[in-house]
Amino acid sequence: QVQLVESGGGLVQTGGSLRLSCAASGTIPSINIMGWYRQAPGKQRELVAVITSGGSTAQADSVKGRFTISRDNANNTVYLQMNSLRPEDTAVYYCNARWSGSGTGYWGKGTLVTVSS
């Protein structure tokens, strides 16, 4: 059974920074994609950033230049460094891991990020 556990959320002021972590456990193929999604109140879940096991990344336009995704393959951990945070970044941030045959993959329970103005 694959489990994803997020940490690092919290309350921060506009312009501040947070670093999210997601540790994956269980049987996970070495070739995979891990990423972060977020869901703000009343909105649909949206992609924030993803990273392949080979290190290729993709990000939403809204976070380019402010957020950086990285990973530690040896420990199946993915990180999201968030700088220059804005109130519109307020959301529950979810970690996702997927690979060939996993469908939509596996999700963590989420960690709340609140950016105050």
Side-chain angles (χ1 to χ4, degrees):
Q1 184 72 10
V2 175
Q3 288 189 325
L4 304 176
V5 179
E6 303 102 333
S7 61
L11 174 64
V12 64
Q13 291 185 332
T14 297
S17 299
L18 284 174
R19 189 190 194 210
L20 305 183
S21 299
C22 171
S25 61
T27 302
I28 300 172
S30 59
I31 299 175
N32 59 69
I33 299 173
M34 296 186 73
W36 292 94
Y37 293 73
R38 67 186 181 186
Q39 187 167 16
K43 295 188 177 181
Q44 291 188 330
R45 191 173 297 188
E46 62 177 5
L47 169 73
V48 177
V50 292
I51 183 168
T52 70
S53 46
S56 298
T57 62
Q59 295 175 305
D61 287 343
S62 60
V63 305
K64 283 182 179 177
R66 300 188 298 123
F67 292 9
T68 301
I69 190 170
S70 60
R71 64 185 291 165
D72 177 352
N73 285 338
N75 294 303
N76 282 328
T77 301
V78 63
Y79 305 96
L80 186 68
Q81 178 66 44
M82 305 186 295
N83 299 327
S84 302
L85 283 161
R86 305 166 180 169
E88 54 263 39
D89 295 318
T90 295
V92 178
Y93 284 70
Y94 296 91
C95 179
N96 175 266
R98 67 182 190 273
W99 49 86
S100 177
S102 71
T104 58
Y106 296 84
W107 294 90
K109 293 183 178 180
T111 185
L112 178 63
V113 172
T114 303
V115 184
S116 63
S117 57

